[in-house]
Amino acid sequence: MPRPTPPALTRRAVLPLVLLVTAAPLAGCASSVGVPVAQDAANPDCARIVLQLPESLGDGLDQHRTTSQATSAWGDPTDPVTLRCGVEVPGPTTEQCVTVETAAGTAIDWLVRADAEPPDGAADGATEGSTPDALPSPGTSDWTFVTYGRAPAVEVHVPASVVAERSTSFLDALSPAIAQVEATRSCL
């Protein structure tokens, strides 16, 4: 004599359960931001830094999951501010170097690099009368900041769309995390 199927296991009851189980993992993947891994991302100091990163860099710049070790992203997932720990440590340089100090006194030195063109090539940042070496106007170029005097080095990439809407003063929010690694050199 065949056993009757318990009511809880009918097709009508199983289908929603299957959909829920398969959709839940996909929902988590949808919010991940692709960020290239840095060469020294496995450095244990990168783990210390990433664990101390803030969940937000301010209004509209909430943190997102990323696809690579020792990385983070904030803001619009299609054009985010990104952080990569373990990039090449810069040596002595003539590049622009600035010190960002928090109200608590934590100071981080950053090399400032204006990318020549935004990824879409929409603007070259040059204005009439400017020299080829002049820095682009805010909002016309992506900006990359690389820690100076700390190993491993940290890179923060800020897209032109973010620079156009706000200053990059949110870098000070990263200082407590980056200060987990001792400075061995400083800007002049």
Side-chain angles (χ1 to χ4, degrees), residues 158-182:
V158 183
S161 62
V162 173
V163 176
E165 295 177 5
R166 68 186 80 226
S167 76
T168 55
S169 62
F170 56 76
L171 285 174
D172 72 345
L174 302 174
S175 295
I178 294 170
Q180 300 294 310
V181 175
E182 184 179 342

Side-chain angles (χ1 to χ4, degrees), residues 64-146:
H64 297 281
R65 290 182 173 201
T66 57
T67 58
S68 301
Q69 179 178 351
T71 63
S72 192
W74 297 266
D76 180 353
T78 62
D79 202 15
V81 173
T82 59
L83 177 144
R84 299 186 318 141
C85 183
V87 297
E88 184 177 341
V89 175
T93 183
T94 58
E95 289 184 75
Q96 181 182 6
C97 189
V98 298
T99 301
V100 175
E101 189 169 341
T102 67
T106 304
I108 304 294
D109 291 339
W110 296 93
L111 297 180
V112 181
R113 300 171 178 157
D115 298 342
E117 291 184 39
D120 63 3
D124 63 9
T127 58
E128 189 174 317
S130 68
T131 62
D133 294 330
L135 292 175
S137 300
T140 61
S141 176
D142 291 1
W143 290 81
T144 301
F145 299 85
V146 178

